[in-house]
Amino acid sequence: MKSGSNLEKILCSGKFAVTAELGPPRGAERSIIEKKAEMLKGYGDAFNITDCQTAVVRMSSIAAGRIVIDAGVEPIIQMTCRDRNRIAIQSDLLGAAALGAKNVLCLTGDHQKFGDHPMAKGVFDIDSIQLIQIVKALRDEKQFQCGQELKAEEPRFFIGAAENPFADPFKYRAVRLAKKIRAGADFIQTQIIYNVKKFKEWMKMVTDMGLHEKAYILAGVAPLKSKGMAKHMKNNVPGMDVPDEVMDRMTAAAEAKKGKEEGIKICLEVIEQVREIKGVAGVHIMAVEWEEAVPEIVKQAGLHPRPSTEN
Amino acid sequence: MIVADSKPFHEIEQMLSEFKKVYIVGCGSCVTICHTGGEKQVAELAAKIRLTAKLKGKSIEVIEDSILRQCEWEFIEEVKNVVEDCDAVLSLACGIGVQYMAERFPNVRVFPGVNTTFMGGPTEQGVFWERCAGCGNCIIGTTGGLCPVSRCAKSLLNGPCGGSQNGKCEVSQETPCVWNQIYDQLDTQQLLSTMENIVPPKDWRTGAENHPRKMVLEHLVMKK
């Protein structure tokens, strides 16, 4: 075991994993996180705590992660390179580990232009691949990025990374995934999938390269809440591929005032389809600001109850 | 070249409001090429300052000039007499030229007439793009001659982020994704496999993180 996290145990045992997202609040209320954790408990193997997602100020993912641990839920701490340099990142990794976090997701981060402080200076001292290397070197080599030895207890994380099968250049996407895995990623969570056909094509490249045997690949899914959200995803979210068929279904559902139901239905269909694809080790459910949808999705997808890893 | 953008006129007007005799001086190098700090722009700006003053019932004497390079002492020296006869200097040079003027003439107030923006060049008539971040450790030999440090919004060194789509950057649909361009270029040169290499964190010490930077050419330094 690299970290001994619940997620690592589930994936190593060959069970189909479920992760979901838990967004920290835009305020200092501990209770909001506790409520979300209570609601999601038992409906996933670990939960991503987002790090100022879309560059909007929210409670620290590490602090929120600890609150989640206290509530009996395992966090995956998201960490971006947008807001801190390598000194702050390594410092935060040590702190997160000391607070009991065992999974970390390494991201470059959304550009500050998209957030609530577009005038901020973006750091980007390192990129996501270099961040993966740093987390791995701390864990496996007991070495800081500067090359100095970590003489005390090392942070032991199960290392995650993200990849977007729908970004360009398409042919390079599997190669980039290979880089992330070579850098040290243990598991991968993909961008949200609505275009299953294209995802399949990408997974074919991934399995042809044998990458699914070197890291666990979790397919990203997200329930659409409304026609408006589908439109926003299609037009405004970078690197998102929402096919016309999905748009049409959400439009029709909007007329019947059944947007949410249809969104969940589409999500369940995507889960069912990606489960059949070779190399997919689990799903990652991103119900942004709609965490209540997660238990229903997990139950209806037949992924509940979650297997216990406690002996 | 160094690219500079004109300052908003109201800002210039405000900077010069308390002066009676102003020397507006252009620079014959980069800012002339980018049409913001050359002779022509000096003439246009001087005319506008005079006209605005007249309309507001104020009097201001404006002397127009341009010198070859404001970042060289010998060229600045040539305008010594006229500068010292004025209350203020409005330099349309880049930030370097403005500082040379200010340093040479400490008794005269010196103001910037342009906003220095980046190191780049024109890609078509009237359009300028950033091309270099002055990181002090050039890597473009490995990236098909395209600079990801200055041309990628996140200065990524390991390929395009997940926001690259249809050759465009997620930050702006007007901006080409430089990593997409690098990919195409390396593909053309049959070097695509080099994009599999993991580039380690960059040593930024040679870059702007370590300013002010200094370069010494030992063989040219006059021994005292």
Side-chain angles (χ1 to χ4, degrees):
Chain A
M1 284 281 127
K2 287 164 174 170
S3 70
S5 75
N6 185 52
L7 180 64
E8 183 181 6
K9 287 177 191 164
I10 292 276
L11 286 167
C12 288
S13 68
K15 296 186 178 94
F16 193 79
V18 175
T19 58
E21 210 166 83
L22 192 163
R26 242 172 104 66
E29 304 100 313
R30 186 185 169 99
S31 62
I32 292 183
I33 304 163
E34 287 168 339
K35 274 182 203 146
K36 283 187 180 184
E38 200 51 50
M39 181 179 69
L40 293 169
K41 197 173 178 176
Y43 292 98
D45 306 314
F47 294 86
N48 287 48
I49 315 296
T50 49
D51 177 13
C52 297
Q53 198 172 17
T54 64
V56 169
V57 175
R58 287 178 180 275
M59 187 191 290
S60 137
S61 60
I62 295 167
R66 177 63 225 189
I67 297 170
V68 160
I69 293 172
D70 289 342
V73 166
E74 180 170 293
I76 299 168
I77 306 295
Q78 295 200 177
M79 185 170 280
T80 75
C81 303
R82 177 191 58 235
D83 309 321
R84 6 162 149 65
N85 66 12
R86 65 192 82 180
I87 300 171
I89 282 176
Q90 291 177 98
S91 160
D92 278 353
L93 286 167
L94 298 181
L99 287 172
K102 290 177 178 169
N103 310 296
V104 66
L105 185 78
C106 302
L107 305 164
T108 298
D110 294 315
H111 195 273
Q112 63 276 10
K113 186 214 163 195
F114 297 105
D116 58 350
H117 291 70
M119 65 298 278
K121 187 172 179 178
V123 179
F124 303 113
D125 173 28
I126 55 171
D127 62 30
S128 58
I129 292 178
Q130 296 161 346
L131 173 56
I132 296 165
Q133 281 186 315
I134 288 174
V135 184
K136 186 178 161 65
L138 286 169
R139 183 189 70 193
D140 297 346
E141 321 287 332
K142 292 191 75 161
Q143 198 176 73
F144 290 107
Q145 193 277 324
C146 59
Q148 281 176 18
E149 188 192 346
L150 192 168
K151 288 180 181 150
E153 190 180 320
E154 76 280 16
R156 300 202 63 82
F157 288 108
F158 193 47
I159 306 170
E163 187 51 52
N164 183 1
F166 309 105
D168 290 319
F170 181 60
K171 276 190 193 158
Y172 183 64
R173 286 295 143 186
V175 176
R176 185 161 155 88
L177 181 73
K179 278 176 83 160
K180 289 191 171 179
I181 293 170
R182 221 162 359 106
D186 301 308
F187 71 98
I188 305 295
Q189 292 172 324
T190 76
Q191 174 65 292
I192 300 168
I193 302 157
Y194 295 110
N195 187 343
V196 178
K197 192 170 161 263
K198 195 161 185 187
F199 176 68
K200 244 184 212 167
E201 270 179 63
W202 179 76
M203 277 305 294
K204 173 83 174 44
M205 291 192 274
V206 167
T207 48
D208 284 351
M209 291 167 82
L211 299 176
H212 63 301
E213 284 159 358
K214 294 174 184 158
Y216 301 99
I217 296 163
L218 278 65
V221 298
L224 290 163
K225 220 173 181 175
S226 62
K227 178 190 159 191
M229 181 185 168
K231 215 170 151 185
H232 172 74
M233 289 272 205
K234 190 179 175 75
N235 301 328
N236 304 100
V237 179
M240 190 73 74
D241 183 344
V242 186
D244 291 341
E245 188 212 329
V246 171
M247 289 303 298
D248 293 345
R249 283 179 65 178
M250 290 307 291
T251 306
E255 278 162 25
K257 296 206 174 0
K258 286 194 167 165
K260 283 188 180 178
E261 291 88 332
E262 189 67 11
I264 288 181
K265 202 170 159 222
I266 293 171
C267 184
L268 287 165
E269 288 171 20
V270 174
I271 293 175
E272 206 182 309
Q273 289 168 36
V274 297
R275 281 188 79 170
E276 300 304 316
I277 299 171
K278 185 187 168 191
V280 173
V283 282
H284 174 50
I285 306 165
M286 288 166 269
V288 183
E289 290 294 317
W290 192 21
E291 282 95 344
E292 311 89 83
V294 173
E296 194 184 334
I297 292 169
V298 176
K299 272 191 277 184
Q300 288 196 39
L303 294 166
H304 186 262
R306 301 305 308 145
S308 167
T309 56
E310 279 166 34
N311 301 322
Chain B
M1 62 191 272
I2 292 173
V3 178
D5 200 359
S6 303
K7 265 195 183 292
F9 184 71
H10 68 85
E11 203 182 313
I12 290 175
E13 202 186 354
Q14 200 178 6
M15 286 191 295
L16 301 179
S17 62
E18 59 183 283
F19 303 104
K20 299 278 180 230
K21 192 172 180 182
V22 178
Y23 178 61
I24 305 188
V25 59
C27 181
S29 300
C30 310
V31 289
T32 293
I33 310 297
C34 69
H35 309 279
T36 48
E39 253 178 58
K40 195 174 165 214
Q41 291 75 41
V42 169
E44 286 166 1
L45 189 58
K48 202 169 176 183
I49 291 169
R50 286 190 198 103
L51 185 66
T52 312
K54 200 173 172 186
L55 288 171
K56 291 185 177 173
K58 290 180 177 174
S59 74
I60 185 166
E61 188 185 341
V62 180
I63 298 162
E64 301 167 33
D65 200 359
S66 188
I67 54 185
L68 187 58
R69 272 196 294 281
Q70 288 189 34
C71 58
E72 284 198 61
W73 301 122
E74 63 219 69
F75 292 114
I76 294 179
E77 204 55 37
E78 289 169 11
V79 299
K80 178 176 183 286
N81 291 341
V82 58
V83 168
E84 288 180 344
D85 192 37
C86 290
D87 311 322
V89 171
L90 182 69
S91 164
L92 299 197
C94 70
I96 304 161
V98 181
Q99 289 185 66
Y100 267 58
M101 293 297 285
E103 188 172 338
R104 177 62 190 85
F105 306 114
N107 298 323
V108 183
R109 297 281 300 276
V110 176
F111 296 94
V114 296
N115 289 320
T116 307
T117 43
F118 52 79
M119 283 190 276
T123 52
E124 58 185 286
Q125 181 79 11
V127 179
F128 298 82
W129 278 100
E130 185 170 9
R131 284 283 189 266
C132 177
C135 74
N137 185 7
C138 194
I139 55 160
I140 63 178
T142 60
T143 53
L146 295 118
C147 171
V149 178
S150 60
R151 297 169 72 173
C152 166
K154 299 174 185 172
S155 296
L156 299 183
L157 297 176
N158 276 296
C161 75
S164 175
Q165 216 147 34
N166 304 315
K168 301 292 183 202
C169 171
E170 67 173 24
V171 169
S172 162
Q173 278 303 302
E174 285 182 5
T175 309
C177 168
V178 75
W179 273 109
N180 200 94
Q181 293 175 306
I182 292 169
Y183 180 89
D184 288 344
Q185 179 72 347
L186 293 176
D187 193 11
T188 307
Q189 297 176 345
Q190 295 182 314
L191 290 168
L192 217 44
S193 63
T194 60
M195 274 184 74
E196 291 170 23
N197 301 336
I198 296 175
V199 179
K202 191 169 165 68
D203 182 344
W204 297 108
R205 276 176 295 187
T206 51
E209 303 313 313
N210 204 25
H211 50 60
R213 289 171 279 169
K214 179 186 180 188
M215 180 178 86
V216 179
L217 297 175
E218 294 292 352
H219 63 289
L220 292 179
V221 176
M222 305 275 260
K223 297 281 182 285
K224 279 172 190 153

